[in-house]
Amino acid sequence: MAERYAVVQQRKAQIAQRNIAFVSAMVDPKVRSTMASVRWSCVVAPLLVVAGLGSVGCKPTVEQPDPPGVPVPIHGTPSNPIGEALYKTEDYAAAAWVFEQLVAGAAEGDRAKAEFWLGKSYFQLDDFTRATRVFMSIARDEPHEYRTLAFPWLVTLRRERPEDVELLQLIGEHAEALLEDELFAAMRDPLLLAVGEHRLRTGRPAEALAWLEQVSDGTNAYEEAQLLAGLAAAQLGRRAEAIERLSLAATRGAPTRRERRKGEVDPREERIRQRAAQELERLGQPPRR
């Protein structure tokens, strides 16, 4: 098993190196100058677009000088532009490999930027465990250039890792400050939900309820907010309110029998409905079907 894993990892590195060499060649000004008199291939053009060296179409643009301070990548050598080009062409595995080399110091580049893009690459690969680890490391590093930008990714990862207590704690501790930042206006409801859940888990149901009541109806966070608000109300001895909120969470958006037969059920929403139904049973009020 170990030998097979080593072979797979070696193959991944070989593929990444091949792609890096190809993209590096496209970035090299000598290669660009030899291609300037011919029509661009629609396969090559997107690679140059994402590297900032071409237009959206398949025709070449007038060559621009490289930005100050950005060296021309050496063929096959990992660099930030190469990694970003691979990421934007959706070769996330190769991009992750490049950014891993930069973060580890195996190649020269902008380490902070590479770390942020590494987290994004892991996310796109559905490797939510490593993506969470990278973004949490960035968020905990106050001088980190990309610290603020890490939080939207952490809020998104919260949906993928609902049982990650450490992740919830990190978001909950910073959410109040983030809510005051216009950058996070579009994530207001998920942040309110995170604050409310954090307060509930740390034994402050009254504060939790105050935050959860602010979550807007019609958003993806609303049903879960009602579930948690019901739990908070129950802890405060407000049984009637708890039943009302939990009943809403248990029945809102429930799939039809046809949708269930076809497998058209959102796992997260189903988890919320099942938890709400269980809590209603504990209160002696099973949900109405």
Side-chain angles (χ1 to χ4, degrees):
M1 183 67 71
E3 292 180 359
R4 179 176 176 78
Y5 177 79
V7 171
V8 171
Q9 292 299 105
Q10 183 179 14
R11 177 58 179 159
K12 286 182 178 179
Q14 290 172 346
I15 294 173
Q17 285 285 11
R18 180 200 64 197
N19 292 341
I20 292 165
F22 176 70
V23 178
S24 295
M26 294 303 99
V27 176
D28 193 305
K30 294 180 180 178
V31 175
R32 293 205 310 271
S33 63
T34 61
M35 298 177 68
S37 61
V38 298
R39 183 176 179 82
W40 291 91
S41 161
C42 286
V43 175
V44 173
L47 295 173
L48 299 183
V49 171
V50 298
L53 299 169
S55 62
V56 175
C58 297
K59 294 182 179 180
T61 57
V62 177
E63 183 177 327
Q64 300 294 324
D66 292 316
V70 180
V72 176
I74 300 172
H75 290 215
T77 300
S79 68
N80 291 93
I82 297 299
E84 291 167 30
L86 290 167
Y87 178 94
K88 292 175 182 178
T89 53
E90 301 183 5
D91 191 348
Y92 302 120
W97 186 87
V98 170
F99 295 128
E100 285 170 352
Q101 308 311 304
L102 294 168
V103 171
E108 294 186 6
D110 187 332
R111 186 183 182 280
K113 190 175 185 180
E115 189 175 14
F116 178 71
W117 281 78
L118 177 59
K120 292 170 58 176
S121 300
Y122 285 151
F123 182 90
Q124 298 294 353
L125 290 168
D126 290 343
D127 190 342
F128 301 126
T129 299
R130 287 201 286 183
T132 300
R133 185 164 62 242
V134 170
F135 285 124
M136 287 183 67
S137 174
I138 294 173
R140 285 170 170 160
D141 184 2
E142 291 193 10
H144 201 291
E145 183 181 354
Y146 292 85
R147 180 174 183 267
T148 300
L149 294 177
F151 278 100
W153 289 90
L154 289 171
V155 174
T156 303
L157 283 161
R158 175 71 185 145
R159 291 177 59 88
E160 305 294 340
R161 297 171 61 81
E163 303 305 320
D164 192 328
V165 177
E166 190 177 3
L167 173 58
L168 173 65
Q169 180 179 353
L170 180 61
I171 297 172
E173 289 174 349
H174 293 85
E176 288 187 60
L178 298 174
L179 284 164
E180 298 176 359
D181 192 327
E182 292 183 2
L183 178 66
F184 296 91
M187 306 195 81
R188 177 178 179 276
D189 291 298
L191 284 171
L192 289 169
L193 180 65
V195 177
E197 185 175 2
H198 179 253
R199 297 295 187 273
L200 185 62
R201 285 183 179 247
T202 52
R204 292 174 281 178
E207 290 182 29
L209 193 57
W211 285 103
L212 294 166
E213 287 176 334
Q214 299 179 54
V215 176
S216 304
D217 193 355
T219 65
N220 290 332
Y222 185 71
E223 283 74 23
E224 187 169 5
Q226 291 304 304
L227 165 63
L228 297 173
L231 296 175
Q235 289 184 22
L236 293 169
R238 292 150 61 168
R239 185 173 183 277
E241 180 182 351
I243 290 174
E244 180 181 356
R245 293 184 182 279
L246 290 170
S247 296
L248 189 154
T251 57
R252 174 77 74 90
T256 64
R257 291 181 180 178
R258 181 182 178 184
E259 288 173 333
R260 288 190 181 280
R261 284 198 303 269
K262 296 176 68 175
E264 298 174 350
V265 179
D266 184 291
R268 174 178 172 273
E269 294 177 0
E270 185 70 1
R271 175 181 61 81
I272 293 170
R273 285 190 292 267
Q274 290 177 355
R275 174 74 188 282
Q278 291 170 1
E279 295 300 330
L280 284 169
E281 293 280 359
R282 289 193 180 96
L283 292 172
Q285 186 76 27
R288 293 184 296 272
R289 299 297 180 185

